[in-house]
Amino acid sequence: MNRFAIHIVLFIYYAIWLLLPIFDLEGQWKLFPLPSIYAIYIPIVLLLIGFTIVGTFVGLLLLRDVPEDLDTMNQNKLAP
């Protein structure tokens, strides 16, 4: 199956899951087992976890990558 078609099907499923409480259909369809509030909380939690992982990775890269010129310059300033 085409990846684009899978993404379209997932988007339609998610959009219907979000719209269920508006039409008072929540809990009536067995295709959507979780309440619609999880359709909001799950992406927020995943984004927070993803940003934390990426931010930690970038921060570690910045801390490890100290330029050699800066390191020798700091040593020269400390020497009498």
Side-chain angles (χ1 to χ4, degrees):
M1 189 177 215
N2 191 351
R3 264 195 263 168
F4 181 71
I6 292 172
H7 289 135
I8 293 295
V9 168
L10 288 175
F11 174 76
I12 292 171
Y13 179 85
Y14 182 73
I16 291 172
W17 189 24
L18 280 175
L19 295 175
L20 285 177
I22 295 173
F23 299 111
D24 291 329
L25 296 173
E26 193 169 29
Q28 295 178 2
W29 289 4
K30 299 300 176 194
L31 187 60
F32 304 98
L34 294 174
S36 292
I37 195 71
Y38 288 110
I40 297 169
Y41 287 144
I42 290 172
I44 290 173
V45 169
L46 289 176
L47 280 172
L48 285 174
I49 291 171
F51 283 139
T52 302
I53 291 171
V54 170
T56 304
F57 179 72
V58 170
L60 288 174
L61 286 178
L62 288 174
L63 287 175
R64 282 189 185 173
D65 189 31
V66 177
E68 294 171 4
D69 296 336
L70 183 64
D71 192 28
T72 57
M73 190 169 57
N74 286 337
Q75 288 176 356
N76 291 337
K77 284 184 181 178
L78 294 175

